[in-house]
Amino acid sequence: MKNQRRDFLKKATGSLALASTGLGFSYQASAKSLTLHSQIKTSANDKIRIGLIGAGIIGHYDTDTALKVDGVELAAACDLYTGRIAYAHEKWGKDLFTTRDYRELLARPDIDAVLICTPDHWHQRIAIDAMKAGKHVYCEKPMVQRIEDGQAIIDTEKATGKVFQVGSQRASSVAVLEAKKVLESGVIGDLTMISAYCDRSTSSGAWNYSIPRDASPETVDWDEFLGYAPKIPFDATRFFRWRNYSDYGTGAAGDLIVHLLTTVHTLTGSHGPNKIFSAGDLKYWKDGRDAYDVINALMTYPANDRHDSFQVSTRVNLCDGEGKGEFGLRLIGTDGVITIGWNDFTVQTLKRSAAPGYGGYDSFTSFSKEEKVEFEKWYKATYGDERGGGYTRNEPVDFKAPQGYDDRLDHMRVFFNGIREGGAILEDATFGLRAAAPSLACNLSIAQQKPITWDPEAMRLI
């Protein structure tokens, strides 16, 4: 560990000895700008046929990415809106099997795995049904809408032996995985806190998605969509902008904070916080939604045999007036900071003077003249001529994924490698609940106006 840290610091100050750290970086260009290269490869390309359940925005992103993996074919698509069924045929062929009933898709013997890209309140039921039907499952985040629903997915995953992966691709990002190695090297010292943030300014960033002109009870299976949610008359806005409503979605906490906590847990190996305190408000998007557009949360991560204690502060602002659209994390250690973007990160370290220094805003100024003389004699005898008290900042080192890199594709490769060869799945159902529960606890804390306590090992509210 000390050798890794020393070698990395040499690199950060201009040495070309980074390869000796053992961190496994592939890089080019100068010592201050390094290019990352993913080590996740596609395993043997025996055919895997997938079914898409939920052909909305993320359903197309996930399916298009899955089809880039060698040997993956689309066998069927399911959606509750006829317009999306029509588009599935336009995009993937008129002979594609389509249905508005996901059970018909699960009954097909030619489907090996499914992508669950539905509203949050359907995740648990479909995931369990799919695994019991013999299908492997890639389920979009958050894994569940309600914390208490998570254990049933874990139990089903274990009972069926099926591969289950949650679709927060941050767990497979080359930037996150390499930043984890830097953190473990000790180059930034002891981790004290993490600041995690997601800011948006646009209407679509606040989930105000387009609503087709033909939306009606005739083109949408409204009763099926509602599921266990309250029974109300057809509302096209609720169907196409479901993230804005707590009956079907989980708001900023389940959509975005879960991405941030997935990253935190991947970086640190943590099982999660034991206390969550959150504040939320609806400041700008007052369009009938009940999902907050501003959330701030503070979480405490206790010490255990995997890591020392640290704190996480996280925010989501969907009405950010600065307009930068920031997403990222800052891992703040005692000797430096790792700043992570989407597929890039920067490391900057500092070196403190060994001598504490004196004078300025210091009790030394209040000493008598005689005592000042005696103190200076003692200081010089102890620390030499170095005045000290300050620090120097090393030049930052930037790590960037190559242009065109897609962490979603790496995440899909992990999923299909798990099916083909039994490859390790980091973001399995247990990981999924440990990321989702503290995120959803933000909503609970706001509603109850108090901290929420959570047992990250037993995975239960206290």
Side-chain angles (χ1 to χ4, degrees), residues 191-192 301-304 307-311:
L191 181 64
T192 61
Y301 281 68
N304 52 49
H307 57 74
D308 202 352
S309 61
F310 61 92
Q311 299 175 8

Side-chain angles (χ1 to χ4, degrees), residues 9-124:
L9 285 168
K10 287 172 64 180
K11 178 62 179 181
T13 55
S15 166
L16 295 178
L18 183 63
S20 67
T21 62
L23 296 180
F25 299 120
S26 297
Y27 63 92
Q28 60 188 31
S30 73
K32 303 296 169 54
S33 181
L34 311 179
T35 300
L36 299 168
H37 295 287
S38 172
Q39 302 302 310
I40 300 173
K41 307 299 182 184
T42 302
S43 63
N45 62 346
D46 49 307
K47 186 183 298 183
I48 296 178
R49 291 172 62 81
I50 62 173
L52 169 61
I53 303 176
I57 302 170
I58 200 66
H60 282 272
Y61 273 91
D62 283 351
T63 302
D64 291 345
T65 305
L67 294 177
K68 293 179 182 178
V69 179
D70 290 343
V72 175
E73 298 180 354
L74 181 64
C78 172
D79 200 88
L80 300 180
Y81 166 52
T82 57
R84 288 177 176 157
I85 295 292
Y87 180 56
H89 286 294
E90 294 170 6
K91 181 176 182 178
W92 292 308
K94 62 182 178 61
D95 294 329
L96 179 73
F97 175 82
T98 58
T99 178
R100 296 211 302 185
D101 186 344
Y102 77 90
R103 301 164 193 83
E104 292 184 353
L105 185 150
L106 295 183
R108 292 181 64 89
D110 61 335
I111 292 177
D112 305 299
V114 295
L115 311 180
I116 300 177
C117 304
T118 67
D120 300 343
H121 71 308
W122 271 102
H123 286 181
Q124 189 225 37

